[in-house]
Amino acid sequence: MQIPTVKISLVGSGRVGKSTIRSMLEGTPAPNGATIGVDVGKFVDEDLKAAIFDLGGQARFQMMWDQFMRGSKLVMLVTDSSREDVDRAKRIADNLQRMKGAKIIAIANKQDEANKLNAMQVEKILGLKTYPMVATEAIRRNAMVSIIKENLLD
Ligand SMILES: Nc1nc2c(ncn2[C@@H]2O[C@H](COP(=O)(O)OP(=O)(O)OP(=O)(O)O)[C@@H](O)[C@H]2O)c(=O)[nH]1
Ligand SMILES: [Mg+2]
């Protein structure tokens, strides 16, 4: 049976861990610099084939986001779970409401660091279903895959 390819976008401020999540899903080494524009990766297993649009989070790339995200089935808004970044993510979330046909969820990344908000706190602020993550820990890959499938295959 053919599995159609779905588009997933990773969006959020600079350095929050979007590319680390993409490389975790791809099983490739994490990149060591900021994403310039967009990087496209892929995730394939027996019941999901996805193109992962990993957007550059720096301010100078943000005006391209609408075009890069177009046609996404799932948009994951990534935050580093600091109060300041969650406030930034709230403004991004408000803009994402205009996205048609996409499911929007949030990832509360960097849960290994001190003084971070937990996923429930982030969820309350953003008003989006939010999942905790530590993208630098390979052992979390299965959890990341489950998050995606849970939100795509329903
Ligand atoms: N402690 C910790 N560090 C992380 C985690 N996820 C990512 N990082 C680190 O955060 C830094 C930035 O990660 P990237 O994945 O490049 O961030 P990005 O969101 O893609 O950044 P842009 O491409 O600039 O938008 C890197 O040094 C990562 O190793 C995490 O869960 N915990
Ligand atoms: Mg990046």
Side-chain angles (χ1 to χ4, degrees):
M1 194 187 72
Q2 280 275 359
I3 319 166
T5 301
V6 298
K7 175 172 174 177
I8 298 173
S9 292
L10 287 163
V11 69
S13 316
R15 292 195 64 79
V16 295
K18 300 177 295 299
S19 297
T20 309
I21 291 172
R22 174 182 52 77
S23 51
M24 167 197 245
L25 288 165
E26 287 192 297
T28 54
N32 45 25
T35 302
I36 305 303
V38 63
D39 286 322
V40 184
K42 54 178 189 284
F43 173 86
V44 183
D45 76 1
E46 61 281 350
D47 48 19
L48 178 64
K49 219 165 131 183
I52 305 167
F53 280 59
D54 165 23
L55 279 55
Q58 293 178 22
R60 61 197 167 113
F61 302 125
Q62 294 192 9
M63 79 281 278
M64 305 171 185
W65 283 358
D66 276 2
Q67 289 175 53
F68 287 146
M69 285 190 295
R70 193 161 298 154
S72 300
K73 280 278 167 287
L74 177 66
V75 174
M76 297 196 280
L77 173 54
V78 184
T79 165
D80 69 11
S81 307
S82 65
R83 182 68 217 208
E84 311 77 73
D85 188 59
V86 174
D87 287 341
R88 277 194 292 270
K90 175 66 182 159
R91 293 191 285 275
I92 298 170
D94 292 343
N95 281 320
L96 289 176
Q97 295 313 316
R98 293 178 287 119
M99 289 269 307
K100 301 268 178 283
K103 180 139 190 190
I104 301 163
I105 62 170
I107 304 295
N109 195 34
K110 305 202 183 185
Q111 289 295 313
D112 58 315
E113 291 189 338
N115 304 316
K116 297 291 179 160
L117 301 178
N118 67 36
M120 241 155 61
Q121 294 171 308
V122 175
E123 178 164 303
K124 255 203 194 124
I125 296 168
L126 297 183
L128 291 172
K129 178 75 190 149
T130 300
Y131 300 84
M133 187 46 57
V134 183
T136 42
E137 293 176 356
I139 194 169
R140 310 269 185 150
R141 182 174 187 273
N142 283 346
M144 196 64 231
V145 172
S146 299
I147 291 167
I148 290 174
K149 289 189 177 177
E150 186 181 316
N151 284 286
L152 273 179
L153 309 172
D154 60 2

